[in-house]
Amino acid sequence: MSSFLELENSSPNIFIPEEWSEAAESIVFDSPTSPPPVVLICGAKNCGKSTFSRHLLNVFLQRYKKVVYLDSDVGQPEFTPPGFLSLTVVDRLTPDLSTPCLKTPERCFFFGDISSKRDPTAYLSYANALYDYYHKEYNSFNKTEELAKIELPLIVNTPGWVKGIGYEILVDMLKYIAPSHVVKINISAESKNLPAGEFWLEEEENYGTTSLIEIRSARQDEFNRSILVQKDASLMRDLRIMAYFRQCFSRDSNITTIKELANALASHPPYQVPISSIKIRHLHSQVPSDQIFYSLNATIVGLATCSNNSENSSWCVGLGIVRGIDTFKGLLYVITPVPHGTLEKVDLLLQGFIQIPSCLLQVKGCISPYMCANILPTS
C-alpha cells in the first residue's frame, strides 16, 4: 500500500514564471517596512493562489525574519486540516512550493465545513477577528509598545469561490482588511475571472490606496490558454486529516501507510474528558438534545476554549476524534495530538461536517473502535 505521506507529497514540478517573481519582489522590496505590507491574493479555483502565496512567503523571508499568514481557504488550507480559518507566524522557508505543510497556528477558528456557503456571516466574523488580532499584535503599535513588538507583513490567502455569494464575501473581506496590495491571478477563461480593476470599490470610494497587481496563471499552452492543475480536493483533504492525526505519534514511529495509521489510532490510548466540564456546540445544524451523543460519537470535533471569549467566536486549539462515550461514567474518549497541558484548557467541542476519512474506518484486518462503540442514551 502506498504511503499516505508519499501521496501527500507527490505533485508536479512547480514553475514560477518571471511575471510572478517580478510581482513578488516588487511587493517585498519596493514597499515600506512600517507599516509592513498586507497582501491579499485572489483568483478563480486552481489558478495558482496557494503556489504564489508560498513563493511570496519565501521572498518575504529574505527581508523579514517572520511573516504572518492568514488562511481563509477552509477547503484547501495551507497549514491546518480542512475546516479552519487560521493565522500562522512563519519563520522558515518553504522548500517545496508544490506541497502544503502542517504548522501550529498562533490563532485559529474551526468553521467546520469546506466552504463558507453554509454560514457566510460566521465565516466573515472569523476572518475579520483574525485580521484584528494581526493588526493588534503585528501591525499597529503605540510608542510604548514599539520596543517590545515587531511589525510583520501579512499574506492573506483566499478561496477560489469568486462568483455569487463567494464574490460578495471576498469583496467584504477586501473592504475590511484594506490591504496595501491585492494580487489578482487571471486565467484565460475570462468568464471565470474576477472583474477588472479594483472591483471591490464603489465608484465614489477612493482609488489608489491599494496597489493592484494582476498576473496570469503560471502555465499556458501554445494557444495561451491557462493550464490549471486539477487536484483531487477530497483526497487532499483526507490526506491532510491523516497527516494531522499522525502527529499523535512520534516521528520515529513506523507509521507510513494508511493501514498502519488506522491500526495505531485504533490502539492509541484516548484522553478521558469529563462530560460535565465541556459544552457541545453543533455548527451549521440543529441536533435534538437526546441525540447529541449519538451524533458526536465517531466524529471529528474542534477543540476550543470559550472561557475568555464568547461561545460563538471561540479560539480553537486543534482537532480530536471522539472515539467513544460512556454516559454512566460521564466521560468522552478523545484522540488528539493536542498536548495535554493545552487540552486541559478546552471547554467546548465544536462538531461540524469534517469527517473521519473512510479509509481509516475500512482497513482490512483492522476492527475500528469507532464503528462499534456502545453509546448510551442521555435520558
Side-chain angles (χ1 to χ4, degrees), residues 111 116-128 165 169:
F111 182 71
S116 58
K117 64 183 178 183
R118 287 187 195 270
D119 194 345
T121 302
Y123 174 88
L124 273 172
S125 71
Y126 293 163
N128 293 347
I165 296 175
I169 291 172

Side-chain angles (χ1 to χ4, degrees), residues 72-90:
S72 64
D73 188 348
V74 292
Q76 298 288 338
E78 189 66 20
F79 299 125
T80 67
F84 281 95
L85 290 90
S86 64
L87 193 79
T88 305
V89 179
V90 183

